[in-house]
Amino acid sequence: FVDKVYAWRDGDKDLLIQARFKRDHGNRKIWEWVDIRPTEKHIQTLDSIIWSDEAILRFHGSQYRRDVTISQSDKTALGEVLAAFEALKHSDVD
């Protein structure tokens, strides 16, 4: 089960998330997620993923780890999410 996520971007490595992940399962599959309010460091790391030549997220657990390469389409989608997040931060909506 995941407890940390590391981000590699063009040779640089940072701890992106260390938190207690929630879990659920069904149909012989397990999924995990965490809800956090991103810090400026999170946003900077995500932005560096978007602009990197190569980016990998490592999902680290007590027994296993899994590396996921971030595709160009993932980077584009991440950029759209960050743009929406920034727009919401500057709106009057809470």
Side-chain angles (χ1 to χ4, degrees), residues 57-77:
L57 293 181
R58 171 167 283 175
F59 296 88
H60 184 273
S62 59
Q63 295 181 351
Y64 300 103
R65 66 177 188 239
R66 180 172 182 207
D67 292 348
V68 176
T69 301
I70 306 302
S71 68
Q72 188 56 51
S73 63
D74 292 335
K75 292 175 186 179
T76 299

Side-chain angles (χ1 to χ4, degrees), residues 5 24 28 70 76 79 81:
V5 179
D24 204 349
R28 298 190 321 187
I70 306 302
T76 299
V81 170

Side-chain angles (χ1 to χ4, degrees), residues 2-45:
V2 175
D3 56 18
K4 297 176 191 164
V5 179
Y6 294 93
W8 270 275
R9 296 98 53 231
D10 298 330
D12 290 332
K13 175 185 168 186
D14 284 308
L15 177 62
L16 181 59
I17 299 170
Q18 182 172 1
R20 186 179 183 107
F21 282 67
K22 296 176 184 175
R23 297 175 183 91
D24 204 349
H25 61 86
N27 223 12
R28 298 190 321 187
K29 293 187 179 191
I30 297 173
W31 54 92
E32 300 175 82
W33 72 94
V34 64
D35 293 321
I36 61 168
R37 180 178 297 270
T39 66
E40 192 58 37
K41 176 67 174 161
H42 289 126
I43 293 168
Q44 289 171 356
T45 301

